[in-house]
Amino acid sequence: MSEAMIESANIQEEYLWNSAREDLPPKKPLVEIGWVLIGTFEKIDEGAIRTARERTREYLRQRFPEFSWRVPIVVRPDPNPDDVLAEPIRLIDMAVTERLTKGWDFAIAFTATDLHALSKQYTLGTPASGLDAAAISTARLDPTAQRSMVRKAERELVLSNRIWALFLHLLGDLLALPHNDDHTSPMSVPRVPEDLDAVHDFSSEEHEWMLESLTEVADLRVEETAQSSRNPFFFTLRVLVRSGREIIAAVARNRPWILVWHLTKFTGAALSTLLILLFTAEVWDVGVRLPLAEVAGALGITIAGTTTFVVTRQRLLTRRTRFRLTEQVVVTDFAIILTILGSMLSMVLLLISAAMLVIWVVPNELALRWTDFAILSLEHNLALAGTVTIIGLIVGALGASIEDQTTFRHVAFIDEET
């Protein structure tokens, strides 16, 4: 079989569930939301997903007629078929791979396996807005998970409705819509799967919010414009100028200032190092004598170095060998880099604050014995605090490097466990 025939067969298999209308050229700004089915599903699950997908597409076309909508489906094998719990971030990584290779705007990964949750007993879905992707498990959405006897027709109908409702919730999360307490709104947080049965529609305010966000999403990407440059440097520069707000918004959704509290090895190693150093006479003697400007410069270099180390050690960036340089790749990678940089800056503020507090409570007599300075000025204190912060940040980065990659990415990129 020729390569062209093999490629054609692969495309046919990937888009087995897609109707012919999916291939029609869009007449309006295009928004593509790919559904990635990972692993095997029961026939009822497949039927429910098919029904939910058709309902989703028609709903979006009617509710947002300003855009052309495509909801392609691809099927992929489960890389860990024997796992009792599926890792959401691994599913999302697979969805992101499809999104980048096929140029989708968003990607949703589906699995029939229960999702692994870190902060809750279980989770129905997990959005990762910084990656424009999410994961959904049908395991608990199936009414047979709550009732042993359910008719086949009712089971498929209820399951498809819950998939549709949960998809709308996650889409709202990806578009940064706030949650609310209206149980008929997709943006209400479902406590149990049955809560999804009451979901009806977005409010007019939520519709306007989504319309504004989708307008930005549907814009032509840099690589699709006539001014696109093939030079990677100029291409990246053009993307940064054009999509700077989008990158900053993705970083804000990732909340890097919260990340340090969830990465216990990172924070624990840094704070422990700082406290030990601040009760060592030699560190005081050296720290107060270092020029503040040199300490500040060394701290800046340390922040850049630890950010690079963590990003590369945890393999957070898109693999360049697999994807051509596109606007989505640039935006995703820079959002990741700035998220980790923001975490490092948050850690620096935490360490300096903690160091200044410890320095303040140390008795003057002890400080004199350690430094031979009768009075320590603010500049001396800041130089000492900066010195121990540099060492603490380096040790903290080493601690972050031994964090499990899956856990690190889960904490860094998953916004919530719905």
Side-chain angles (χ1 to χ4, degrees), residues 29-314:
L30 175 64
V31 179
E32 285 188 287
I33 306 176
W35 287 21
V36 185
L37 276 60
I38 300 174
T40 57
F41 293 81
E42 295 182 21
K43 289 190 177 297
I44 288 183
D45 288 359
E46 290 182 356
I49 293 174
R50 186 197 303 268
T51 302
R53 181 262 191 145
E54 292 298 327
R55 181 181 179 185
T56 296
R57 188 172 57 179
E58 292 307 314
Y59 170 85
L60 293 173
R61 286 175 174 173
Q62 292 177 11
R63 204 70 172 85
F64 301 95
E66 299 86 354
F67 309 99
S68 290
W69 291 94
R70 287 179 180 166
V71 188
I73 287 182
V74 299
V75 180
R76 291 289 177 263
D78 189 343
N80 302 287
D82 298 326
D83 286 353
V84 177
L85 296 174
E87 292 292 347
I89 192 61
R90 290 180 180 171
L91 302 178
I92 288 174
D93 283 341
M94 293 181 67
V96 170
T97 298
E98 300 296 334
R99 180 178 71 83
L100 294 176
T101 54
K102 294 178 171 60
W104 298 336
D105 297 291
F106 302 102
I108 312 295
F110 287 82
T111 180
T113 307
D114 219 353
L115 296 177
H116 178 223
L118 292 182
S119 59
K120 298 171 63 176
Q121 290 185 337
Y122 67 87
T123 178
L124 306 175
T126 53
S129 55
L131 301 175
D132 290 327
I136 290 178
S137 169
T138 61
R140 295 180 183 269
L141 299 180
D142 194 326
T144 57
Q146 292 84 37
R147 293 178 290 157
S148 57
M149 298 296 294
V150 183
R151 292 181 179 178
K152 180 179 178 180
E154 178 190 357
R155 179 185 173 191
E156 184 171 330
L157 178 63
V158 172
L159 180 55
S160 67
N161 182 69
R162 291 177 180 177
I163 292 172
W164 172 79
L166 183 56
F167 166 80
L168 292 185
H169 178 89
L170 295 177
L171 178 60
D173 285 334
L174 297 181
L175 295 174
L177 264 69
H179 292 166
N180 59 49
D181 297 325
D182 181 5
H183 66 281
T184 64
S185 168
M187 295 317 297
S188 62
V189 180
R191 308 298 177 186
V192 292
E194 290 83 351
D195 291 345
L196 295 169
D197 298 334
V199 171
H200 179 62
D201 197 2
F202 290 105
S203 67
S204 57
E205 293 80 6
E206 291 170 337
H207 177 270
E208 292 300 322
W209 185 311
M210 293 181 69
L211 184 60
E212 182 179 350
S213 299
L214 288 169
T215 301
E216 297 181 5
V217 169
D219 285 342
L220 282 177
R221 302 187 182 100
V222 171
E223 66 271 16
E224 298 170 337
T225 63
Q227 295 80 17
S228 176
S229 172
R230 298 195 178 194
N231 183 286
F233 174 79
F234 290 109
F235 180 87
T236 301
L237 185 62
R238 183 172 173 79
V239 171
L240 294 179
V241 172
R242 171 189 169 103
S243 304
R245 290 178 55 189
E246 182 181 349
I247 294 172
I248 297 303
V251 174
R253 292 194 297 269
N254 287 335
R255 297 180 298 174
W257 52 90
I258 301 295
L259 182 59
V260 294
W261 298 108
H262 293 293
L263 298 174
T264 54
K265 294 177 182 177
F266 177 27
T267 307
L271 286 175
S272 299
T273 301
L274 180 137
L275 292 176
I276 292 172
L277 292 175
L278 284 176
F279 287 98
T280 305
E282 290 80 3
V283 174
W284 278 69
D285 192 32
V286 173
V288 297
R289 287 174 167 78
L290 292 175
L292 183 58
E294 292 184 8
V295 173
L299 183 58
I301 295 173
T302 302
I303 293 172
T306 52
T307 299
T308 303
F309 175 76
V310 171
V311 167
T312 55
R313 178 65 178 82
Q314 293 291 341

Side-chain angles (χ1 to χ4, degrees), residues 319-339:
R319 296 179 183 178
R320 290 280 184 255
T321 56
R322 301 187 61 184
F323 307 113
R324 62 190 179 92
L325 193 60
T326 65
E327 181 176 342
Q328 289 177 314
V329 170
V330 174
V331 169
T332 299
D333 282 356
F334 269 86
I336 291 171
I337 293 172
L338 291 180
T339 296

Side-chain angles (χ1 to χ4, degrees), residues 339-359:
T339 296
I340 302 303
L341 177 61
S343 300
M344 293 299 168
L345 293 174
S346 300
M347 177 58 71
V348 166
L349 292 176
L350 174 63
L351 293 178
I352 289 180
S353 299
M356 292 297 289
L357 178 61
V358 172
I359 292 170

